[in-house]
Amino acid sequence: MADVAAYVLGVEESRAVALLSSELGALICEDGNPDSFRIYAAGAVTVVVIPSEGVLEIWVHHSKAWSSSPAFARFLAAGLGCTVRCDPGAEAPGIDPYSDALLEIDREGERIVTLT
């Protein structure tokens, strides 16, 4: 069971939550602050959504749906038709895990990008 995370660009939170609900079951908002974050739950699975300037940071805890953050990001990019970024993890062993490099996935494919 992996905890996974991704950054979704330019998508409304309601669309992302609807897509995640299609995979995880109905997500119920349990807690949150409209200006900073929301916590959703579907059984034992917890989803944390942190919106910030056109980007949704999404964390999924206690789910077996995705084996890694890149797998999760691919699901989101395909299902939402948008750009998604995540930590490349083991898929890019040559990249320092403490660097600003992220795996970016969109309709054009996948690439490593460095945030500046």
Side-chain angles (χ1 to χ4, degrees), residues 17-30:
V17 169
L19 177 63
L20 291 169
S21 290
S22 73
E23 183 71 25
L24 301 172
L27 288 167
I28 308 299
C29 187
E30 293 192 331

Side-chain angles (χ1 to χ4, degrees), residues 4-54:
V4 295
Y7 302 92
V8 179
L9 284 64
V11 171
E12 303 82 27
E13 183 173 338
S14 60
R15 284 188 58 218
V17 169
L19 177 63
L20 291 169
S21 290
S22 73
E23 183 71 25
L24 301 172
L27 288 167
I28 308 299
C29 187
E30 293 192 331
D31 190 18
N33 177 325
D35 297 324
S36 61
F37 71 93
R38 269 151 305 287
I39 300 172
Y40 297 86
V45 176
T46 303
V47 176
V48 178
V49 179
I50 305 167
S52 176
E53 300 180 21

Side-chain angles (χ1 to χ4, degrees), residues 85-97:
R85 295 177 179 149
C86 69
D87 179 346
E91 292 194 20
I95 294 178
D96 180 350

